[in-house]
Amino acid sequence: MSGSYYRSLGEGRFESTVHAQGAWNPGEQHMAPVAGLLVQKLLDCEPRPDLQLARVGFDILGMIPGGEFEVSTRVLRPGRTIELLEAELRAQGRTAVTARAWRLAKTDTAEVAAVEDTGMPGPDEAGPYDGMTQWPGGFIESLEFRVVPGHRPGRGRIWLRTPLELVDDGPTPDLVRLCGMVDAANGIAARVRPGTGSWMFPNVDLQLHFHRPPSGPWLGLDTRVTFGADGVGLTSSVLHDQDGPFGRSEQILTVRPL
């Protein structure tokens, strides 16, 4: 497989390719590559090498149409050690996704560094996984998956990677590449199979928190899925690269009969 998820049209405009196609509707984009693209644009917004991206919160305001769209960014709260940024994706005359990101000062905290999240076996210790074939769409088709033993509905540990660049205008940084796959967490350990006669459970947001910058091509998702009794669910994941946990993600779900 070759190509990219997006073609750059210049001046903040992009066009999605079939590889960015969503799973719930063939005419929409999957949120995962959208998140990667917005993270890239946030990194490009008045860059500060003395600060690092620590949190990004995305709100999905409706279906994200495939095709052409534009992205704008701005600094909402400038600061010497803490800054708040905002990005907006507009398509077909409306805002489809907004993102707000905190970037925090880099300081030497090695003396007190500690991580409580448990690591997971690496991709070389995981086996092939065909469970994602239940999901349609070009984005899921673009990914390679490997599963850690013990996988079941509602709980799973999966490694994934992509051979594609995010945009056709250059190489994809590791943080952007991995952020561009996190939203797939909502499908890797689904509590119910998608499809006619089952349930739909799309997420209306994606919250990412990082305690260190990740590296490498592989994203590890240690995921738990909760369905409440009144139509709301939650997909929670510890995010890994091959060096161990680097952050967490949360996705709130609207659960409905399909």
Side-chain angles (χ1 to χ4, degrees):
M1 186 176 294
S2 62
S4 62
Y5 293 103
Y6 298 105
R7 288 185 283 267
S8 175
L9 305 179
E11 298 183 346
R13 296 196 59 81
F14 300 88
E15 182 181 27
S16 65
T17 71
V18 66
H19 303 304
Q21 184 185 44
W24 294 108
N25 185 317
E28 70 178 352
Q29 295 183 54
H30 199 289
M31 180 58 196
V34 168
L37 182 62
L38 292 182
V39 166
Q40 179 65 74
K41 300 305 291 183
L42 288 165
L43 291 173
D44 295 339
C45 179
E46 300 184 27
R48 292 276 306 276
D50 56 324
L51 303 182
Q52 60 185 327
L53 204 65
R55 178 265 188 185
V56 188
F58 304 90
D59 287 309
I60 307 165
L61 306 182
M63 190 186 83
I64 311 168
E68 294 187 20
F69 61 94
E70 61 182 355
V71 177
S72 60
T73 58
R74 61 176 177 150
V75 177
L76 284 179
R77 189 271 194 194
R80 185 172 60 86
T81 60
I82 298 173
E83 286 195 335
L84 180 62
L85 313 177
E86 184 177 67
E88 180 182 68
L89 184 154
R90 291 185 57 83
Q92 298 182 1
R94 67 172 180 84
T95 300
V97 182
T98 61
R100 286 192 171 187
W102 284 105
R103 53 188 182 194
L104 310 180
K106 296 179 182 178
T107 57
D108 183 0
T109 54
E111 182 179 349
V112 294
V115 178
E116 294 293 342
D117 289 322
T118 304
M120 56 187 275
D124 292 339
E125 302 171 66
Y129 182 58
D130 62 3
M132 296 300 285
T133 56
Q134 63 185 324
W135 292 100
F139 175 71
I140 297 300
E141 186 179 354
S142 76
L143 303 176
E144 175 188 356
F145 297 92
R146 295 186 187 177
V147 64
V148 175
H151 190 278
R152 60 174 174 78
R155 179 77 172 91
R157 294 181 293 171
I158 295 284
W159 288 96
L160 57 159
R161 67 177 173 179
T162 175
L164 305 181
E165 300 295 345
L166 185 70
V167 185
D168 64 354
D169 60 0
T172 308
D174 289 345
L175 173 62
V176 172
R177 183 183 301 275
L178 299 188
C179 287
M181 296 186 286
V182 172
D183 192 73
N186 192 35
I188 68 164
R191 300 206 66 87
V192 295
R193 289 186 62 86
T196 303
S198 184
W199 298 79
M200 65 185 299
F201 43 95
N203 52 304
V204 301
D205 79 336
L206 173 64
Q207 307 296 323
L208 305 178
H209 292 83
F210 315 113
H211 52 78
R212 67 169 175 85
S215 62
W218 284 101
L219 172 67
L221 296 171
D222 184 347
T223 297
R224 293 169 170 81
V225 182
T226 300
F227 283 0
D230 54 1
V232 178
L234 178 67
T235 296
S236 304
S237 302
V238 179
L239 309 177
H240 296 72
D241 63 10
Q242 288 179 269
D243 293 323
F246 67 85
R248 289 178 173 244
S249 70
E250 302 283 347
Q251 298 159 283
I252 201 71
L253 318 177
T254 174
V255 183
R256 314 171 190 170
L258 188 61

